[in-house]
Amino acid sequence: MKNILVPTDFSDNCNKAAKLAIEMAALFNAEIHFLHQISTIVNWTKLTKTQEQNYPDTLAEIGIAKSKLRALDKEAESKGLKSRTFLEFVSDEDAIVAHSHNFNHDFIITGSKGIQNGFLKKLLGSNAQKIIRKARVPILVVKEDAVAFPFKNIVFVSDFKEDISNAFEEVDKIAKECNAKIHLLNINTTSDFNSVENGLQPIEEFLKLFPKLENYAMHVYNESTVLGGIEKFEGSNDVDLIAMYTHSRKGFTNVFSKSIAENVTNHSKKPVMTVHL
């Protein structure tokens, strides 16, 4: 983790995300970029200074945004971090992904209240699959619950039926820096539920790829949905971060399809991280 992007609309959850990003950047000694987007009724970049005066509301919005970006920049720099701020006159997921690609970000942290509101409905609303599919870096979304950092309990959700070692390595890096325990959670959603022993077997096989992993626990839950399994796990265990992986296979509809990852991200109140295979 060397360069973190923080898209923000300055809402409460985005402010929590920015605070988390600063703490994570300090832990990893990473550079941090804060990005805010403003949608204007005209092409703002083509206006002269005189023409800008015809849009006082937009000018006021820009002034407020610049002030809030400066505050985030100063907070990051007070932690000894290298920080940059960006104000863009566009509002869509393609611009976020393009910005991330142009500046070689290797991690994205943002906030959202869920499907109906929060930072850019396009990020986690109807277009959630687009940004998750297009952004090839881990995305961590902060939700309603308070964020406990450094993380102490990270849940990695998988059916452990394919090679997910690259995704797990991203989770393991964070766990090591935080000295966190990783809970490997297999949620069996098939109608013919396996026994717990059968559910543990793929986890045990997977762990052979990480013989040095020590601070972990294995769990198997039989539930009709992945979200239901995660909620049940949360009900009886401490959870600071939920981690899932996704990929772009067409027609792929099991635990790690984009639609299910989006569903978990939208409905969970805990921070959720998705890692693209």
Side-chain angles (χ1 to χ4, degrees), residues 68-123:
K68 291 181 176 181
L69 285 172
R70 281 195 298 270
L72 290 172
D73 190 39
K74 289 181 180 179
E75 185 176 353
E77 291 182 344
S78 72
K79 303 293 185 180
L81 299 173
K82 184 177 180 180
S83 173
R84 296 183 65 182
T85 62
F86 299 86
L87 182 62
E88 294 184 346
F89 299 101
V90 65
S91 182
D92 62 58
E93 74 284 344
D94 287 334
I96 294 174
V97 175
H99 181 96
S100 178
H101 178 76
N102 290 339
F103 287 91
N104 298 313
H105 297 114
D106 54 12
F107 210 90
I108 298 175
I109 302 176
T110 190
S112 174
K113 289 184 180 179
I115 298 174
Q116 298 301 324
N117 45 36
F119 169 67
L120 289 179
K121 290 180 183 178
K122 296 175 182 177
L123 181 63

Side-chain angles (χ1 to χ4, degrees), residues 154-169 171 182-189 194 196-210 213 216-221 226 233 243-245 247 249 252 254-256 277:
I154 301 175
V155 183
F156 181 69
V157 187
S158 175
D159 57 7
F160 302 94
K161 291 180 179 179
E162 60 181 316
D163 183 5
I164 54 173
S165 55
N166 288 342
F168 184 75
E169 285 174 358
V171 177
I182 299 178
H183 298 265
L184 298 108
L185 176 60
N186 184 355
I187 300 172
N188 181 24
T189 60
N194 291 322
V196 172
E197 289 76 15
N198 288 339
L200 289 174
Q201 185 177 357
I203 303 179
E204 292 170 345
E205 287 297 316
F206 171 74
L207 288 174
K208 291 179 180 178
L209 299 173
F210 298 89
L213 187 67
Y216 70 90
M218 299 182 292
H219 309 268
V220 178
Y221 278 47
V226 174
F233 182 85
M244 302 179 66
Y245 73 84
H247 50 52
R249 294 182 186 176
F252 191 69
N254 78 354
V255 173
F256 308 103
L277 287 182

Side-chain angles (χ1 to χ4, degrees), residues 112-113 143-145 227 230-231 234 242 263-272:
S112 174
K113 289 184 180 179
K143 307 301 289 300
E144 284 81 359
D145 281 8
L227 180 60
I230 293 174
E231 289 176 341
E234 288 183 84
I242 299 168
N263 189 41
V264 172
T265 303
N266 281 334
H267 288 88
S268 175
K269 293 183 179 180
K270 298 288 185 180
V272 178

Side-chain angles (χ1 to χ4, degrees), residues 116-134:
Q116 298 301 324
N117 45 36
F119 169 67
L120 289 179
K121 290 180 183 178
K122 296 175 182 177
L123 181 63
L124 292 173
S126 61
N127 291 323
Q129 284 186 294
K130 293 181 181 179
I131 191 167
I132 293 174
R133 183 173 292 119
K134 293 175 182 178

Side-chain angles (χ1 to χ4, degrees), residues 34-45:
F34 299 100
L35 168 67
H36 180 69
Q37 296 181 334
I38 293 178
S39 180
T40 58
I41 59 176
V42 295
N43 187 340
W44 195 261
T45 60

